[in-house]
């Protein structure tokens, strides 16, 4: 009898094959065997949020047609400001490999979909299609695949009956029960995500903890807030964004069922940890990590990639930091980047190259001498982490921008290597005024990053992949925040008034993401 791990993908077990090989007939059989009553289509609109369409199944033929042809949606509503109402119809078509049994309704078979235009082509303005096209173009030009993993950071907010084991302020990192209160809830999130995507690395509590929030908003006032991080495994970037978006959907649904709020908002309180959405990136060639060379050091390809990220960093904020509160998180001495630079294991840098088991292996043998047989590693695990983005990000466009930066780096190898050399730093950059003076600032407001995007729009439009109307839409959305100078205004206030002023923004909008 074949033995299965408890968290193996449910759909793969039902079909008896990998997700990438699923066909319409496989899905019809799953529908018949599992008592499925409806199909649910998920897709991401221009606002970066997941949407859904629920389709009851009445007979086999209808199910086959829906799976084979998709359904119609109103593109002018999903892509307001980008798609004209006179040409608004789009198709949403399921990607079979994404199929999963809805964890909150086991009578529904769910899919992530792609947008198709009336002429049967990928909708060129849809962020998920832009990401797919940039990923494929990079692979075609360089022979390299760009993989990424996201780190979802969020706060869980709710009531605690009686806190017998309180955590100190800013001391929740890797906390355990009974000091942290949300372990069961997070374990449920992990179980669901792992079963659906198979791409989960781990979860842990983060630094942030507020035992009793001071707020005029009744959803927050007097509530406890614990910060959690769920980290994924590396996937090709066209899949990474879908995994992250589904992860956010699962987190908020599970929290809601526990009577709590999950928010990915970048900042809840001055003086407490903000929540980021970091992305670790990895170049692969021939299914092998290309981030390190034969001696175990960072490869030239990795250095080019870092140089490309540094070149594009000011404009990437336009996709990765899309609310005024984003720039209350990106301040000095908060383990959040403020300047364009990179370093090893340095959390004040924009790009961090973390420990990657370079030149060492089988560490468990050092503490388990009874283990005599070595584990044979197949590949390196080295990554480079972009640390600026947060939960307000348009995830698909951010990753598409990162892929575009990588393309630029490999088309301009001498310049990208020069930039990576110039942007390397050591130690805490905020302790070195001379160093800070020569580094480029990350934007300090949505309005500023909108101006940067418009000024450098050719970085994205020249490939013909990012439509000009989309760049205009993103810039207009950012300018609606009207936050020029807000970051500096808050930082120049005394702490009491700064908290009061910032709450007017943060505590009204915290459920937005």
């Amino acid at each position: 009898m074949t033995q299965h791990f408890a968290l193996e993908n449910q759909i793969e077990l039902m079909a008896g094959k990998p997700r990438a090989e699923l066909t319409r007939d496989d899905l019809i059989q799953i529908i018949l065997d599992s008592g499925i009553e409806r199909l649910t289509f998920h897709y991401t609109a221009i606002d970066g949020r997941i949407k859904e369409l629920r389709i009851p199944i009445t007979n086999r033929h209808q199910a086959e047609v829906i799976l084979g042809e998709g359904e119609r949606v109103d593109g002018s509503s999903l892509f307001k400001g980008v798609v004209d109402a006179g040409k608004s119809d789009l198709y949403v078509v399921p990607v079979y490999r994404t199929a999963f049994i809805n964890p909150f309704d086991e009578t529904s078979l769910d899919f992530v979909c792609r947008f198709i235009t009336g002429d049967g082509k990928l909708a060129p303005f849809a962020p998920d299609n832009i990401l797919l096209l940039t990923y494929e173009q990079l692979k075609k030009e360089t022979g390299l695949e760009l993989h990424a993993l996201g780190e979802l950071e969020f706060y869980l907010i709710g009531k605690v009956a009686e806190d017998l084991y309180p955590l100190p302020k800013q001391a929740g990192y890797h906390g355990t029960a009974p000091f942290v209160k949300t372990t069961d809830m997070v374990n449920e999130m992990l179980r669901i995500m792992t079963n659906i995507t198979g791409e989960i690395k781990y979860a842990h509590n983060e630094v942030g903890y507020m035992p009793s929030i001071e707020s005029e908003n009744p959803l927050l006032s007097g509530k406890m807030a614990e910060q959690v991080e769920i980290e994924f495994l590396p996937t090709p970037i066209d899949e990474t964004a879908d995994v992250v978006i589904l992860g956010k959907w699962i987190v908020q649904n599970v929290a809601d069922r526990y009577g709590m709020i999950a928010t990915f908002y970048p900042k809840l309180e001055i003086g407490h940890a903000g929540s980021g959405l970091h992305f670790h990136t990895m170049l692969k060639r021939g299914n092998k990590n290309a981030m390190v060379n034969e001696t175990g050091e960072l490869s030239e390809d990795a250095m080019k990639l870092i140089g490309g990220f540094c070149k594009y960093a000011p404009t990437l904020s336009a996709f990765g930091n899309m609310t005024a509160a984003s720039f209350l998180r990106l301040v000095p001495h908060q383990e959040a980047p403020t300047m364009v630079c990179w370093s090893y294991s340095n959390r004040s840098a924009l790009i961090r190259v973390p420990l990657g088991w370079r030149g060492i292996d089988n560490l468990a043998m050092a503490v388990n001498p009874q283990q005599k047989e070595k584990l044979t590693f197949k590949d390196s695990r080295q990554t480079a982490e972009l640390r600026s983005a947060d939960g307000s990000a348009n995830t698909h466009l951010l990753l598409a921008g990162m892929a575009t930066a990588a393309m630029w780096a490999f088309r301009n190898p001498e310049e990208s290597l020069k930039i990576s050399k110039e942007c390397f730093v050591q130690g805490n950059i905020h302790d070195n005024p001379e160093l800070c003076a020569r580094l480029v600032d990350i934007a300090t407001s949505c309005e500023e990053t909108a101006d940067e995007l418009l000024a450098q729009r050719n970085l994205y439009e020249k490939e013909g992949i990012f439509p000009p109307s989309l760049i205009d839409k993103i810039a207009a959305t950012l300018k609606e925040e009207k936050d020029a100078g807000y970051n500096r205004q808050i930082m120049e206030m005394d702490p009491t008034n700064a908290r009061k002023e910032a709450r007017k923004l943060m505590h009204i909008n915290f459920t937005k993401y």
Side-chain angles (χ1 to χ4, degrees):
M1 178 182 292
T2 302
Q3 291 185 313
H4 298 286
F5 289 99
L7 295 180
E8 280 190 80
N9 183 268
Q10 191 175 3
I11 294 295
E12 290 187 343
L13 293 177
M14 290 177 177
K17 61 170 63 173
R19 287 174 293 169
E21 298 176 12
L22 289 173
T23 66
R24 186 172 62 251
D25 286 342
D26 295 325
L27 297 169
I28 291 295
Q29 194 58 53
I30 289 171
I31 290 170
L32 293 171
D33 291 344
S34 304
I36 298 297
E37 297 178 2
R38 70 188 135 274
L39 304 177
T40 301
F41 287 178
H42 300 276
Y43 33 89
T44 306
I46 190 62
D47 61 6
R49 295 178 180 82
I50 197 168
K51 315 295 182 183
E52 70 178 27
L53 180 67
R54 297 176 293 278
I55 308 166
I57 299 172
T58 57
N59 56 65
R60 180 179 183 129
H61 175 68
Q62 181 234 8
E64 289 177 334
V65 170
I66 295 298
L67 289 171
E69 305 291 350
E71 253 303 349
R72 276 193 310 266
V73 294
D74 177 7
S76 64
S77 293
L78 295 169
F79 297 95
K80 191 174 182 179
V82 178
V83 173
D84 187 86
K87 299 179 180 179
S88 63
D89 279 354
L90 291 171
Y91 302 112
V92 283
V93 179
V95 180
Y96 293 168
R97 63 172 168 75
T98 67
F100 63 93
I101 303 295
N102 190 311
F104 312 110
D105 176 6
E106 293 187 353
T107 65
S108 176
L109 181 63
D110 291 28
F111 299 86
V112 173
C113 296
R114 295 284 177 257
F115 292 99
I116 306 290
T117 60
D119 58 3
K121 297 179 180 178
L122 292 173
F125 46 78
D128 53 354
N129 292 334
I130 292 171
L131 174 56
L132 176 62
L133 291 172
T134 52
Y135 168 71
E136 290 183 341
Q137 183 68 22
L138 174 64
K139 185 166 58 171
K140 179 181 177 182
E141 288 189 19
T142 66
L144 290 162
E145 292 184 8
L146 182 59
H147 289 217
L149 67 88
E151 295 182 359
L152 273 184
E153 292 182 349
F154 53 95
Y155 274 93
L156 293 168
I157 301 166
K159 294 179 179 179
V160 174
E162 189 175 6
D163 195 354
L164 301 178
Y165 293 89
L167 275 172
K169 177 184 174 181
Q170 294 282 83
Y173 186 67
H174 286 213
T176 64
F179 297 94
V180 301
K181 317 302 179 188
T182 58
T183 302
D184 290 344
M185 189 190 327
V186 174
N187 285 345
E188 184 170 340
M189 294 170 185
L190 283 179
R191 177 183 58 79
I192 293 171
M193 288 186 198
T194 305
N195 187 263
I196 289 175
T197 71
E199 308 296 350
I200 304 302
K201 185 177 180 182
Y202 54 54
H204 60 80
N205 272 66
E206 258 297 345
V207 171
Y209 170 69
M210 289 174 260
S212 181
I213 301 173
E214 185 178 344
S215 178
E216 294 182 5
N217 188 331
L219 291 175
L220 287 172
S221 181
K223 303 290 177 59
M224 176 275 297
E226 280 186 3
Q227 192 181 31
V228 175
E229 177 183 308
I230 295 178
E231 187 167 320
F232 299 94
L233 290 169
T235 52
I237 57 167
D238 64 315
E239 299 177 27
T240 303
D242 292 333
V243 169
V244 167
I245 294 294
L246 278 177
K248 294 174 75 170
W249 174 74
I250 290 165
V251 164
Q252 291 185 318
N253 270 280
V254 172
D256 183 59
R257 280 156 176 75
Y258 276 78
M260 297 188 77
I261 296 171
T263 178
F264 300 92
Y265 202 64
K267 197 76 172 174
L268 281 181
E269 182 68 272
I270 301 295
H272 289 266
S275 293
L277 176 57
H278 305 164
F279 281 98
H280 289 255
T281 57
M282 175 191 297
L283 292 168
K284 301 195 83 170
R285 178 180 279 111
N287 205 33
K288 183 175 176 61
N289 191 337
M291 298 293 285
V292 293
N293 57 28
E294 296 79 7
T295 64
E297 300 302 316
L298 280 186
S299 67
E300 189 172 277
D301 285 342
M303 298 297 284
K304 291 175 190 173
L305 179 68
I306 290 170
F309 287 165
C310 289
K311 165 79 172 178
Y312 274 64
T315 54
L316 288 176
S317 282
F319 309 121
N321 308 106
M322 300 191 70
T323 182
S326 297
F327 299 95
L328 297 179
R329 169 182 163 263
L330 300 178
V331 295
H333 307 294
Q334 289 292 313
E335 291 196 0
T338 59
M339 296 182 177
V340 179
C341 57
W342 75 276
S343 189
Y344 293 97
S345 302
N346 184 342
R347 296 177 190 274
S348 68
L350 171 69
I351 299 160
R352 182 177 75 102
V353 177
L355 289 176
W357 290 270
R358 296 196 305 272
I360 57 175
D361 59 25
N362 284 279
L363 297 183
M365 294 180 73
V367 293
N368 297 283
Q370 74 277 15
Q371 178 65 47
K372 304 300 182 185
E373 184 179 350
K374 286 191 173 183
L375 176 67
T376 302
F377 286 99
K378 294 183 179 180
D379 201 4
S380 167
R381 296 163 65 181
Q382 186 62 61
T383 60
E385 176 192 21
L386 184 71
R387 297 176 51 79
S388 53
D390 59 58
S392 70
N394 188 308
T395 309
H396 290 86
L397 290 180
L398 173 63
L399 287 167
M402 292 165 66
T404 305
M407 267 195 288
W408 176 90
F410 283 92
R411 289 173 180 171
N412 301 274
E414 290 184 8
E415 189 174 354
S416 59
L417 288 171
K418 179 174 179 287
I419 291 173
S420 65
K421 182 178 180 180
E422 292 174 347
C423 290
F424 177 72
V425 300
Q426 291 179 295
N428 188 331
I429 62 172
H430 304 300
D431 294 335
N432 188 337
E434 187 176 315
L435 173 63
C436 288
R438 71 172 178 80
L439 294 174
V440 175
D441 284 330
I442 298 174
T444 59
S445 69
C446 291
E447 290 188 83
E448 185 182 334
T449 197
D451 290 338
E452 192 75 29
L453 178 64
L454 292 173
Q456 300 195 54
R457 61 190 305 160
N458 189 53
L459 288 174
Y460 300 94
E461 292 176 359
K462 65 183 177 182
E463 301 302 326
I465 296 177
F466 277 77
S469 61
L470 181 72
I471 298 296
D472 289 336
K473 171 64 177 178
I474 294 298
T477 300
L478 292 166
K479 285 182 175 292
E480 287 173 2
E481 293 292 298
K482 300 185 186 304
D483 63 337
Y486 183 75
N487 172 296
R488 183 173 298 278
Q489 174 189 342
I490 294 295
M491 288 196 295
E492 289 176 351
M493 291 180 175
D494 67 86
T496 299
N497 286 328
R499 284 193 292 270
K500 288 181 179 178
E501 182 63 32
R503 285 174 190 148
K504 294 176 184 178
L505 168 75
M506 297 184 294
H507 292 186
I508 292 173
N509 296 316
F510 82 100
T511 57
K512 189 176 178 182
Y513 299 104

